[in-house]
Amino acid sequence: ILNVEQSPQSLHVQEGDSTNFTCSFPSSNFYALHWYRWETAKSPEALFVMTLNGDEKKKGRISATLNTKEGYSYLYIKGSQPEDSATYLCAFFRLTGGGNKLTFGTGTQLKVEL
Amino acid sequence: NAGVTQTPKFRVLKTGQSMTLLCAQDMNHEYMYWYRQDPGMGLRLIHYSVGEGTTAKGEVPDGYNVSRLKKQNFLLGLESAAPSQTSVYFCASIPADSGNTIYFGEGSWLTVV
């Protein structure tokens, strides 16, 4: 079983604060790292797909970086807004001869307060 | 979420009953996955399939069986439902090149009483 860990587990910030989360994953046999935004009772919404070491992606106020050698990715939110409140999931895709699994982290639950 | 359909969306079962969840995708994706989502636990992989006729166990396979007789369909079965299987179930599909986005179904809410 692969361990994909996210930290912190939950986060409360004030509107306007900038924040970041971490996704840690095994560094061997890396293929892709996905970030999702997920609201309860809805399907996860894709944010980024990252495949190359050093990748940096940006979508509005949200950006992400990737370090495949050390096995981590950071997600940043600049100027948090209440509508950013959600759970942010990362998912690690690893190609191996024994089977190809997409493993999700447990998520970071973000609450942005006025 | 176009292209991945889960049925049924809601179901209430009695302990010991059986049922099957269907995940259907029309994008010719090779890989399909069944996850369950429980409070505070994120998405946990139940079973997955890397192609027609193949299935494999994920993190939490006990109490579930799956089949992938056709490439477009991935079935999740509960032979004898237990209250611990009350959860929201998500299906996902992805092409062999995982650089693409993962496509999710809209979820199936299952309650076992």
Side-chain angles (χ1 to χ4, degrees):
Chain A
I1 296 176
L2 300 177
N3 286 324
V4 179
E5 298 180 353
Q6 290 187 245
S7 62
Q9 187 174 11
S10 64
L11 197 55
H12 287 240
V13 302
Q14 297 295 121
E15 183 179 12
D17 287 349
S18 292
T19 186
N20 64 85
F21 330 130
T22 305
C23 173
S24 301
F25 51 86
S27 56
S28 60
N29 298 104
F30 175 86
Y31 196 87
L33 192 284
H34 300 243
W35 277 101
Y36 282 81
R37 179 181 181 279
W38 186 26
E39 293 181 67
T40 303
K42 294 183 179 180
S43 292
E45 170 196 349
L47 291 175
F48 305 113
V49 179
M50 309 176 81
T51 57
L52 297 175
N53 184 45
D55 258 356
E56 293 187 23
K57 300 253 174 135
K58 187 174 181 182
K59 185 178 182 180
R61 294 179 291 100
I62 304 176
S63 60
T65 61
L66 177 68
N67 184 322
T68 61
K69 293 182 179 180
E70 296 182 36
Y72 65 84
S73 176
Y74 293 139
L75 186 78
Y76 302 91
I77 301 179
K78 184 178 179 182
S80 302
Q81 299 296 309
E83 58 265 29
D84 295 330
S85 297
T87 296
Y88 291 83
L89 286 170
C90 68
F92 170 68
F93 195 95
R94 184 188 194 202
L95 290 180
T96 69
N100 307 317
K101 288 185 187 177
L102 183 64
T103 305
F104 283 85
T106 53
T108 293
Q109 192 169 19
L110 174 66
K111 177 73 173 175
V112 182
E113 297 167 345
L114 294 170
Chain B
N1 298 318
V4 180
T5 305
Q6 288 181 231
T7 53
K9 288 187 170 45
F10 300 95
R11 184 76 185 270
V12 178
L13 283 178
K14 292 183 179 179
T15 297
Q17 284 186 315
S18 63
M19 76 159 296
T20 301
L21 295 172
L22 169 64
C23 176
Q25 53 93 5
D26 59 3
M27 296 169 285
N28 205 36
H29 287 171
E30 286 81 5
Y31 302 152
M32 297 185 75
Y33 305 83
W34 274 110
Y35 292 90
R36 58 178 290 173
Q37 185 267 317
D38 302 292
M41 304 198 74
L43 289 170
R44 292 186 294 167
L45 181 64
I46 305 171
H47 285 279
Y48 67 101
S49 168
V50 299
E52 181 179 319
T54 69
T55 63
K57 294 180 180 180
E59 300 171 65
V60 290
D62 293 341
Y64 304 95
N65 57 71
V66 287
S67 65
R68 185 123 180 246
L69 298 179
K70 294 182 179 180
K71 189 176 185 179
Q72 63 267 35
N73 295 336
F74 194 29
L75 299 167
L76 178 71
L78 286 72
E79 288 188 347
S80 180
S84 60
Q85 293 177 304
T86 294
S87 188
V88 184
Y89 293 85
F90 284 96
C91 172
S93 76
I94 189 169
D97 171 8
S98 71
N100 292 325
T101 301
I102 305 164
Y103 292 82
F104 285 92
E106 294 185 342
S108 294
W109 276 253
L110 177 64
T111 300
V112 183
V113 297

